[in-house]
Amino acid sequence: MEGMKETVEESLREMRETFASGRTRSLKWRKAQIGAIYEMVKDNEDKICSALFQDLGKHSTEAFRDELGVVLRSATVAINSLDKWAVPKHSNLPLLFYPAKGKVISEPYGTVLVLSSWNFPISLSLDPLIGAIAAGNTVLLKSSELSPNASAFLAKTIPAYLDTKAIKVIEGGPDVATILLQHQWDKIFFTGSPKIGRIIMAAAAQHLTPVTLELGGKCPTIVDHHTISKNIKSVVKRIAGGKWGSCSGQACISVDYVLIEKSYASSLIDMLKPTIKSFFGENPKESGCLSKIATKQHVQRLSRLLNDPRVQASIVHGGSIDEEKLYVEPTILLDPPLDSEIMNEEIFGPILPIITVRDIQESIGIIKTKPKPLAIYAFTNDENLKTRILSETSSGSVTFNDVMIQYMCDALPFGGVGESGIGRYHGKYSFDCFSHEKAIMEGSLGMDLDARYPPWNNFKLTFIRLAFREAYFKLILLMLGLKR
């Protein structure tokens, strides 16, 4: 560990010197680095897909959709938009401050730490990295040890494409993260669980370091069968895709549980079962299309959730587990107890509880009993229900009549609230995430009354000067016959 401490200190020293040199503030440099990320991904598509398959069993189509494609799109948007993002924003100051001028400029924080996650080890490493570079920072990326092949790819390949004095990658587990968090950073960006998020925030507080925490939570899906019955087949496919189609449910924005009126629950289950079969075949374990669970410890956690006798009694489909092959079968539960562990922690796996209610309006009350989720999904055309969801619940985002697509939209901010996270990113919001907005005000030496007042009274003088200007402009407006 002494060697790692020295490595971290040397990396920090070099990154701080690079930032102090001003090199990273150049828009030309920023675009070149982001362009290099784009080229790195394009040049190494096969290697990345292979690493993702080895680590998580991701099919190449899933890997491109959720990982490579996300990075390529993010890089393209940043390169094409950076000039516009970096332009100072001029402010329309109140007439009271005339003839002063005001603007806001975005400046980089400095040297930032990005702590990535294992479930999307490429996109959740490179997407924040693009935002940090776009804002003009130097960056140290700590990839996740739970995706060792993807981590090794990043550690080996990034230095071959990017400025090694400004952008660095360090591999390792919790011991390395602990060393990193002992140092002072200008910004920390973390993707992971609320449990680790609390540790990150506590460490950052020692240096008053600003943080962005992309966490998770139990994302509910409301199915208002009354108003979407004509499109129920599409609804079922989207729920199935949002539960099992992205890293086997190991995604912070996956559908965690479904809320539906009791009279429609059986028909929903009857439609989900053949949909699972159409997605993954008769034997999902051998399909090659269902991602594996990350580690044996994660499999054991999911097994423990299912082994609760009350939860076992609610299984209506699936439930088989193969710990050696890191496999948990796509599983459906009908009304597991609301006080069970599986209904009070993020599932993060291919298990879908279906909770029934007498009236779909009751679903809002159930959502409100739990911590604020990263996303709420609702399939409904009832405007009153939509209004209630928006006004009575709190979440990182709300998506109507679809699932997970909000993550792919760079025009919208992505982030949580409360236990589901702090801060936001994607597109321009990534640039803002890694920038400090600095207020600039340029006053005038005209209309100065300083000669009448002693220097020690300047604070009071400021208000007298402003009051004088206010009275002066009111007089002008009155003379013009205008109302202020």
Side-chain angles (χ1 to χ4, degrees), residues 224 261 357 359-365 382 384-385 388:
D224 176 19
E261 290 184 3
V357 292
D359 186 293
I360 199 62
Q361 300 287 337
E362 297 173 8
S363 60
I364 293 174
D382 183 340
N384 177 59
L385 181 57
R388 286 197 64 199

Side-chain angles (χ1 to χ4, degrees), residues 151-162:
S151 178
F153 168 82
L154 293 170
K156 179 181 178 180
T157 313
I158 284 178
Y161 282 82
L162 304 184

Side-chain angles (χ1 to χ4, degrees), residues 95-349:
L95 190 59
L96 174 65
F97 295 96
Y98 180 84
K101 299 176 182 178
K103 62 183 178 181
V104 176
I105 63 172
S106 296
E107 65 176 12
Y109 277 111
T111 297
V112 305
L113 173 63
V114 174
L115 299 166
S116 183
S117 184
W118 54 264
N119 53 337
F120 298 89
I122 299 299
S123 60
L124 293 182
S125 295
L126 298 182
D127 199 5
L129 180 61
I130 289 168
I133 293 171
N137 300 279
T138 56
V139 191
L140 190 147
L141 168 66
K142 193 267 179 201
S143 50
S144 174
E145 76 284 2
L146 297 183
S147 295
N149 292 284
S151 178
F153 168 82
L154 293 170
K156 179 181 178 180
T157 313
I158 284 178
Y161 282 82
L162 304 184
D163 184 341
T164 57
K165 293 185 180 297
I167 300 146
K168 298 182 180 294
V169 184
I170 285 185
E171 293 188 273
D175 50 349
V176 174
T178 299
I179 293 171
L180 292 170
L181 291 171
Q182 290 171 351
H183 292 274
Q184 183 170 358
W185 302 88
D186 298 306
K187 171 86 178 189
I188 297 176
F189 186 103
F190 168 75
T191 304
S193 69
K195 178 183 176 182
I196 305 302
R198 289 183 174 89
I199 296 172
I200 303 295
M201 197 167 183
Q206 300 301 312
H207 302 288
L208 297 180
T209 300
V211 298
T212 294
L213 303 178
E214 294 295 338
L215 307 178
K218 296 184 73 64
C219 299
T221 298
I222 299 171
V223 178
D224 176 19
H225 195 281
H226 294 288
T227 63
I228 49 84
S229 58
K230 292 181 180 179
N231 305 108
I232 191 62
K233 289 183 179 180
S234 294
V235 171
V236 171
K237 286 182 181 179
R238 294 180 187 192
I239 291 173
K243 179 73 236 186
W244 297 292
S246 192
C247 201
S248 198
Q250 298 169 107
C252 57
I253 54 170
S254 287
V255 172
D256 192 276
Y257 62 100
V258 170
L259 293 156
I260 190 170
E261 290 184 3
K262 193 174 186 66
S263 56
Y264 299 110
S266 59
S267 62
L268 176 64
I269 293 168
D270 288 342
M271 295 182 73
L272 280 169
K273 290 178 181 179
T275 303
I276 293 171
K277 183 178 177 180
S278 70
F279 281 9
F280 307 113
E282 293 286 352
N283 186 358
K285 182 168 32 174
E286 305 299 332
S287 69
C289 299
L290 184 68
S291 297
K292 62 186 179 183
I293 306 305
T295 67
K296 286 186 178 180
Q297 289 73 27
H298 287 76
V299 175
Q300 290 165 2
R301 181 186 65 83
L302 293 170
S303 178
R304 187 190 74 247
L305 296 178
L306 287 177
N307 283 339
D308 179 336
R310 300 178 301 163
V311 174
Q312 276 191 334
S314 72
I315 296 175
V316 293
H317 180 80
S320 67
I321 293 174
D322 187 334
E323 186 176 316
E324 291 303 314
K325 291 192 175 183
L326 303 177
Y327 171 76
V328 175
E329 183 182 5
T331 300
I332 303 173
L333 312 177
L334 178 59
D335 280 326
L338 293 179
D339 63 350
S340 61
E341 189 176 3
I342 202 167
M343 286 307 299
N344 285 281
E345 71 168 58
E346 186 177 10
I347 295 172
F348 227 66

Side-chain angles (χ1 to χ4, degrees), residues 360-378:
I360 199 62
Q361 300 287 337
E362 297 173 8
S363 60
I364 293 174
I366 293 175
I367 293 171
K368 289 168 68 175
T369 65
K370 302 186 181 301
K372 299 174 182 178
L374 186 56
I376 293 175
Y377 306 118

Side-chain angles (χ1 to χ4, degrees), residues 416-438:
V417 59
E419 288 204 12
S420 59
I422 298 170
R424 56 189 187 171
Y425 74 125
H426 284 184
K428 171 64 161 58
Y429 301 98
S430 288
F431 177 84
D432 294 339
C433 172
F434 290 99
S435 300
H436 165 63
E437 291 194 329
K438 182 161 65 177

